[in-house]
């Protein structure tokens, strides 16, 4: 529940007597609803007793700062953190959690973990709040569907010891058409439930008196404003957003620590009933003077030895200690329908494109709210990171797009750069705790479906010499020249290039050493490639040079190494004009 019951019950006989009296009273009355706290004692935070809330200011608290139970955990706690055994024999019902209630808390934790994993909601926090608000649904008095029976209602928030909140629901949730009341095991006021109500048990209704619905609503409410409940500061803010009281925070924290050390399941309906609160202390009426007549002194607490009044600061005008400095208001949590929950891939496929080409696939994300529904108007920033030269259409590395009505945002088309390799596209949304998605993308080298020599001249060299004629090839794709195609040149023994050759013609590397494979070749703007000089070793024969492009096109070129043929000089032919010598008779 929320605001203050201003007293702490002593454990032992007094607690047992009070609980027994409460059971008897409940059994005797056939009232349709179980009213939790109809008042508060005078100790503790002034806001809880109504001094600062009688005018209707509730700081946006989920419960309207209505009363809560201040019973503390047993002094003996489990001796192993996280254990569900070794709990004290005494007070086991108080230490345990009714089965349906415990199941609802754990279900809420799992559900929120899927829609808002960065919140890191622990079910033990829900259990601590449920203990303080309603004594775990009044000891687990719920039906088979998890609905409290009878209904759980807080006192009328009429400004008499509590906040003044006039009716907001026509009595639909709390049966009160004049003032609002906190409702159900997690004690939501109707106006808060209207924004945060959930249907966690799938019956088609958002019922604040159902422990499953109420636990999930509480979990989403605590996670609002991008809180990370694994952080102490965020957890404290979440609890204070439920009820703006430091004593409330201390009490919830006590139970939270207790449940973190271990608890156990008990049957529904067998839990310890919460304490019966004392009568509320009336708030001063506007315009009345200060002094004892305006603010009665705290009444003795019957459950404490000697009937001494509960400790705490005096109310304004009552003498004694002064009121504490008002705390700055906590921002009102944003309803789950408008709270950013998660960022997901909206079906983006593999991102691959050839250098210089446009990607067929576009990066698309889906934003969801805290209840898993699509969330519109969320700014999503897409950024390209990598050295391939890839950019979004328009030449930008970073663009921001807002999600549409379906919750999706799609980045502009990507234009692949000229350098082959991998890069990433990152999508970021949210400010306090940004959600990030990263997509891997690849730029492949330009491809060709054919490569051929530009001439048919025989390539011949003498042993130990270089080939006089350069080898020039051209790569094409669908008969069009392709620039920037990667080409591999390898000396091979067979036309399929299965076996590399370790003798015969060779290239030279940067240090002048022989190499028979080159992998850093690319075609020029005209799709042509002029190979580096080729040298012959001392082995004569016919050798094969295989050129392969990215994409599988290839050409095999013959290289011949042979010594030049030796030629003998021919005798000159006789001159035809020369007169033949006279013959002798």
């Amino acid at each position: 529940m929320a605001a203050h019951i201003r007293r702490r019950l002593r454990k032992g006989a007094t607690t047992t007597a009070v609980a027994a009296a409460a059971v008897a009273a409940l059994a005797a009355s056939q009232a349709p609803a179980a009213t939790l706290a109809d008042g508060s004692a005078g100790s503790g935070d002034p806001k809880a007793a109504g001094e600062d809330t009688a005018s209707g200011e509730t700081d946006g608290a989920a419960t309207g700062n209505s009363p809560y139970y201040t019973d503390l955990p047993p002094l003996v706690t489990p001796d192993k953190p996280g254990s569900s055994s070794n709990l004290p024999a005494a007070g086991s019902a108080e230490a345990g959690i009714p089965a349906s209630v415990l199941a609802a808390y754990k279900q809420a934790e799992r559900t929120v973990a899927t829609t808002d994993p960065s919140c890191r909601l622990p079910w033990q926090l829900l259990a601590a709040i449920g203990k303080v608000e309603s004594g775990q649904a009044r000891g687990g008095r719920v039906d088979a569907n998890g609905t409290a029976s009878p209904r759980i209602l807080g006192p009328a928030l009429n400004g008499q010891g509590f906040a003044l909140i006039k009716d907001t629901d026509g009595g639909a949730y709390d049966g009160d058409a004049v003032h609002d009341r906190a409702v159900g095991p997690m004690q939501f006021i109707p106006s808060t439930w209207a924004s945060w109500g959930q249907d966690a048990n799938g019956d088609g209704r958002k019922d604040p008196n159902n422990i499953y619905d109420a636990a999930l609503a509480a979990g989403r409410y605590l996670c609002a404003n991008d809180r990370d409940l694994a952080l102490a500061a965020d957890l404290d803010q979440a609890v204070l957003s439920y009820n703006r009281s430091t004593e409330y925070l201390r009490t919830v924290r006590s139970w939270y620590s207790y449940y973190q050390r271990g608890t156990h399941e008990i049957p529904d309906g067998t839990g310890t009933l919460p304490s019966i609160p004392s009568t509320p202390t009336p708030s001063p009426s506007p315009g009345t003077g200060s002094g004892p007549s305006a603010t009665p002194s705290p009444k003795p607490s019957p459950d404490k030895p000697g009937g001494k009044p509960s400790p705490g600061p005096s109310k304004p005008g009552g003498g004694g200690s002064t009121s504490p400095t008002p705390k700055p208001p906590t921002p009102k949590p944003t309803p789950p329908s408008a709270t950013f929950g998660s960022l997901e891939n909206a079906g983006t496929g593999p991102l691959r494109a050839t250098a210089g080409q446009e990607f067929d696939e576009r990066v698309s994300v889906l934003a969801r709210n805290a209840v898993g529904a699509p969330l519109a108007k969320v700014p999503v920033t897409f950024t390209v990171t990598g050295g391939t030269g890839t950019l979004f259409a328009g030449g930008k590395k970073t663009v921001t797009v807002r999600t549409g009505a379906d919750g999706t945002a799609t980045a502009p088309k990507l234009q692949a750069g000229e350098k082959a390799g991998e890069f990433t596209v990152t999508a970021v949304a949210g400010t306090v705790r940004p959600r990030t998605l990263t997509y891997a993308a690849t730029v492949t080298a330009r491809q060709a479906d054919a490569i051929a020599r530009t001439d048919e001249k025989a390539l011949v060299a003498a042993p130990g010499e270089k080939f006089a004629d350069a080898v020039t090839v051209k790569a094409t794709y669908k008969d069009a020249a392709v620039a920037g195609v990667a080409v591999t040149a390898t000396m091979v023994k067979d036309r399929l290039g299965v076996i590399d050759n370790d003798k015969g013609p060779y290239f030279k590397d940067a240090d002048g050493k022989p190499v028979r494979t080159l992998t850093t070749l690319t075609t020029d703007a005209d799709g042509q490639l002029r190979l580096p000089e080729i040298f012959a070793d001392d082995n004569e024969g016919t050798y094969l040079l295989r050129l392969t492009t990215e994409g599988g096109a290839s050409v095999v070129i013959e290289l011949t190494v042979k010594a030049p043929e030796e030629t003998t000089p021919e005798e000159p032919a006789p001159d035809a004009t020369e007169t033949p010598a006279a013959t002798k008779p």
Side-chain angles (χ1 to χ4, degrees), residues 161-230:
F162 318 118
L164 172 59
I165 305 180
K166 295 183 180 180
D167 176 64
T168 61
D169 66 331
Y173 292 120
D174 56 12
D176 190 333
V178 180
H179 297 99
D180 272 349
R181 296 169 179 255
V183 183
M186 304 304 282
Q187 288 288 278
F188 281 95
I189 56 174
S191 59
T192 305
W193 184 260
S195 297
W196 292 87
Q198 304 289 308
D199 175 20
N201 65 348
D203 64 356
R205 297 177 60 228
K206 297 178 181 179
D207 184 0
N209 272 288
N210 182 274
I211 186 58
Y212 291 96
D213 294 358
L216 181 56
R220 296 200 188 285
Y221 184 91
L222 293 167
C223 287
N225 297 339
D226 286 325
R227 296 189 185 104
D228 179 355
L229 299 181

Side-chain angles (χ1 to χ4, degrees), residues 265-310:
E265 179 184 299
I266 60 175
D268 288 347
T270 63
T272 302
L273 286 172
S275 315
I276 304 300
S278 58
T279 306
T281 302
S283 299
S285 300
T288 59
S290 62
S293 59
T295 305
S297 300
K299 295 182 179 181
S301 177
D303 58 324
K304 294 192 177 183
K308 295 181 180 179
S310 301

Side-chain angles (χ1 to χ4, degrees), residues 4-55:
H4 287 98
I5 291 176
R6 303 293 135 236
R7 67 172 186 166
R8 300 195 171 159
L9 291 186
R10 221 174 22 142
K11 303 298 177 292
T14 302
T15 303
T16 305
V18 173
V23 173
L26 180 62
S29 70
Q30 298 301 316
T35 300
L36 286 183
D38 290 327
S40 65
S43 64
D45 192 324
K47 294 182 79 64
E51 293 96 330
D52 295 338
T53 58
S55 61

Side-chain angles (χ1 to χ4, degrees), residues 84 104 167 204 262 281 316 332 389 473:
S84 59
D167 176 64
T281 302
K332 187 175 182 179
V473 294

Side-chain angles (χ1 to χ4, degrees), residues 59-124:
D59 296 320
T63 61
N65 292 324
S66 56
Y68 63 87
Y69 293 105
T70 57
D71 302 61
L72 294 176
L75 295 178
V76 181
T77 57
D79 55 6
K80 292 183 180 180
S83 171
S84 59
S85 60
N86 300 322
L87 287 168
S92 59
E94 184 171 6
I97 300 176
S100 294
V101 179
L102 181 59
Y105 297 149
K106 292 185 176 181
Q107 176 179 296
E109 179 191 62
R110 292 191 300 270
T111 301
V112 172
T114 62
T115 59
D116 189 4
S118 56
C119 173
R120 296 191 281 184
L121 169 73
W123 67 260
Q124 292 91 340

